[in-house]
Amino acid sequence: MKIFFTTIVILAFNNMVTAQAIKNYKVANQANIAERTLMLDLLRSSLKKDYQQDVVFSVNVFNVSNKYAWLKATAARKDGQPIKFKADDADFMDCCHVEALFIKKSTGWAIAESGSFSTDVWYDGIWKKYNAPVAIWGSDYHN
């Protein structure tokens, strides 16, 4: 019984420590505005390069640990028009969701991987590849 109780206490403590390490950047505030803006601008620049359109994001999930960040957002064109895809790609695009895994390097945040308008769950198991904490995916965790 003592071993069982000790195991439960250790697991509970481990979960509390992990939970405290995750910050929610879904909403901008004084504490996160600089990092949040930087990461969103990185993704915005990537989408501009790929689709030649300026976008804004409605953030759905943005969880950050010390080294990793997971973003799930809805993209919209800055001018309010619908996002346009190349005719050959239009049938294979699921507008308007985007996801990105950011990694913090010595030079700052960088996009490790991202997906835009995909028709599948491209990020399934990505935490294994990067050894990232599963907690940053929140309810997006797919084993």
Side-chain angles (χ1 to χ4, degrees):
M1 185 69 169
K2 188 175 183 179
I3 293 173
F4 175 75
F5 179 71
T6 304
T7 303
I8 296 297
V9 169
I10 289 170
L11 289 174
F13 178 75
N14 187 36
N15 285 340
M16 286 189 312
V17 169
T18 302
Q20 291 172 357
I22 305 301
K23 299 175 210 154
N24 185 345
Y25 279 26
K26 182 176 178 179
V27 177
N29 61 44
Q30 286 295 97
N32 69 23
I33 190 81
E35 276 188 312
R36 184 181 190 275
T37 301
L38 177 104
M39 288 187 274
L40 290 173
D41 285 348
L42 285 171
L43 186 57
R44 191 174 289 113
S45 175
S46 176
L47 290 174
K48 171 78 172 182
K49 180 180 165 189
D50 292 344
Y51 298 100
Q52 292 75 48
Q53 298 167 69
D54 291 316
V55 298
V56 294
F57 298 112
S58 173
V59 175
N60 302 315
V61 174
F62 202 170
N63 294 324
V64 180
S65 72
N66 290 338
K67 187 176 176 184
Y68 298 97
W70 174 247
L71 169 73
K72 188 172 185 181
T74 303
R77 281 183 42 168
K78 193 174 184 178
D79 63 8
Q81 297 296 311
I83 293 178
K84 295 180 185 164
F85 302 109
K86 295 177 186 172
D88 294 344
D89 293 339
D91 290 339
F92 305 103
M93 300 296 198
D94 185 12
C95 196
C96 290
H97 64 94
V98 296
E99 303 86 22
L101 174 64
F102 297 90
I103 189 166
K104 195 171 201 178
K105 300 183 177 192
S106 60
T107 56
W109 287 102
I111 296 173
E113 290 190 41
S114 67
S116 51
F117 319 122
S118 63
T119 57
D120 62 356
V121 181
W122 65 268
Y123 53 87
D124 186 37
I126 193 173
W127 44 87
K128 294 175 191 171
K129 180 177 178 181
Y130 291 94
N131 197 27
V134 174
I136 66 171
W137 275 268
S139 63
D140 285 338
Y141 174 77
H142 296 276
N143 194 7

